[in-house]
Amino acid sequence: MTVLDTLKRLDAYPKTLEEFSIKTISGATVTIVSTIIIILLFLSELNAYLSPNITEELFVDTTRNHKLKINLDFYIPPISCDYISLDALDSTGEQHLHIDHNIYKRRIDLKGNPIEEAKKEHIQSSTKKQKSSETTTDAAAGAVTTPKCGSCYGAEKNSTHCCNTCQDVIDAYREKRWNPEVDKFAQCIFEGFADKNNQNPFSEGCQVYGTLEVNRMGGAFHLAPGKSFSINHIHVHDVQPYSSSTFNTSHRINHLSFGDQVNFVNTKPLDNLEVIATETAMMFQYYIKIVPTMYVPLEGPTIYTNQFSVTKHQKSVATMSGESGMPGIFVSYELSPLMLKYTEKSNSFGHFATNICAIIGGIFTVAGIIDSFLHNSLHVIKQKIELGKFS
């Protein structure tokens, strides 16, 4: 016996002669079906191999130096933009000062069509007052003149307090907690302030959208009717000459998210939420729990975003109901001390090759068993038919 004959004994795949092999219809059918299954499973495994594997990790958030970016897009159909104010507050209730924002207002008619181009909104803590001691220079005469000191109509702080504009008079009255009657102030009549306020606030809607960046801490923001201002660190809204109970705060949240957007997690569960107020003077409150999220891709910079859960509450604040509060849309958010980290990792080629071999070998073996069963069954049935014993 030669060495080659000894080597042939190790062949685990003995071959039969071509003359002794039988090809059947059932065998061809099983071959076609098993081939299709192998191709489909191979493509599925290839897609899984080419897609990055994402791992999750939870740890204490120490990235407090980052700003919190708020992306919002609210549509309030029944209230004009002149009577909607957006204010951002921190966790202590104080209004955010000097925040970076890119908030715009767009007037919308009652049919949902834009009336004019969007205008940037000015977010501030309170109305800035002009100093009565400011002086102006007459360039032609070369002399320094002092502007005329306007009356505050009894709301002066002292003898040198001047109210040169309608807004100065209103601010002085607010500090005294008096109701400003703008149609009786000479400054307001001259500026046409009363005519502006007499416009119907319910003849059109308003879309408020954009982004604002605040300190990375708990806080809130709200959209409420009336002009906002602060008196003795108390945040209030002036809805004169209307009553707060006449405002319908139905709204639609086109978009609300915190941070940059990624596609693999749901960072905007409130998108396209439409809320209809069943009565006027409704306060809608959204309590949001933010989970900071870090996404580390295979290529490119790390993305910081936020996932959040929300609890919704609504109530009527009409004076007849005895409820306290103010109609509007109030969003309060709180940051979790934990951060969720997603990391993209490439898949192992060895794992991919092992799965492919398992798919091909497993299906080939199972298909052989099925083909053998079908062939033997058909052979037995054929013999019984020939002997006349098949019934």
Side-chain angles (χ1 to χ4, degrees), residues 83-242:
Y83 283 83
I84 289 291
S85 295
L86 171 65
D87 299 291
L89 310 174
D90 59 20
S91 57
T92 64
E94 292 288 336
Q95 195 161 9
H96 281 296
L97 301 177
H98 309 297
I99 61 176
D100 296 327
H101 73 93
N102 194 23
I103 299 296
Y104 291 87
K105 284 183 179 179
R106 177 183 286 125
R107 296 172 58 197
I108 307 291
D109 62 19
L110 297 180
K111 295 182 179 179
N113 301 316
I115 297 177
E116 63 181 12
E117 293 296 326
K119 296 180 180 180
K120 189 170 185 179
E121 173 74 349
H122 297 285
I123 302 178
Q124 53 189 5
S125 59
S126 61
T127 304
K128 296 181 180 179
K129 302 175 180 58
Q130 296 179 352
K131 297 180 180 178
S132 58
S133 59
E134 289 182 350
T135 59
T136 57
T137 303
D138 189 342
V144 177
T145 60
T146 302
K148 182 180 179 181
C149 183
S151 173
C152 295
Y153 302 93
E156 299 89 350
K157 291 182 179 180
N158 48 55
S159 58
T160 60
H161 186 193
C162 300
C163 297
N164 296 329
T165 65
C166 179
Q167 192 61 54
D168 290 341
V169 181
I170 294 175
D171 292 337
Y173 265 65
R174 285 171 175 169
E175 292 186 6
K176 294 286 187 179
R177 299 190 179 184
W178 296 349
N179 181 25
E181 300 180 6
V182 295
D183 56 341
K184 297 182 180 180
F185 302 147
Q187 295 92 326
C188 297
I189 295 174
F190 176 77
E191 296 176 8
F193 192 88
D195 295 335
K196 296 179 182 178
N197 278 356
N198 288 334
Q199 295 177 355
N200 186 2
F202 313 116
S203 61
E204 60 186 47
C206 184
Q207 180 186 9
V208 183
Y209 67 94
T211 61
L212 55 92
E213 292 186 1
V214 297
N215 292 329
R216 195 175 177 83
M217 59 186 297
F221 66 90
H222 60 255
L223 288 162
K227 185 173 183 179
S228 63
F229 60 96
S230 298
I231 297 180
N232 297 330
H233 302 288
I234 300 176
H235 185 76
V236 295
H237 281 247
D238 181 12
V239 295
Q240 294 293 333
Y242 299 93

Side-chain angles (χ1 to χ4, degrees), residues 278-345:
T278 55
E279 52 186 303
T280 57
M282 292 289 294
M283 172 186 282
F284 295 96
Q285 297 170 303
Y286 299 91
Y287 299 97
I288 292 178
K289 185 71 173 181
I290 299 176
V291 180
T293 303
M294 180 190 302
Y295 180 66
V296 184
L298 286 174
E299 299 178 356
T302 300
I303 300 174
Y304 292 92
T305 184
N306 299 277
Q307 303 179 70
F308 66 90
S309 61
V310 59
T311 301
K312 294 174 283 187
H313 178 68
Q314 66 183 52
K315 66 177 181 178
S316 174
V317 294
T319 54
M320 63 182 66
S321 67
E323 295 281 357
S324 60
M326 178 173 54
I329 306 158
F330 296 80
V331 180
S332 301
Y333 53 88
E334 179 183 356
L335 274 78
S336 170
L338 299 178
M339 172 174 280
L340 187 60
K341 180 180 180 180
Y342 293 95
T343 305
E344 285 188 358
K345 294 182 178 180

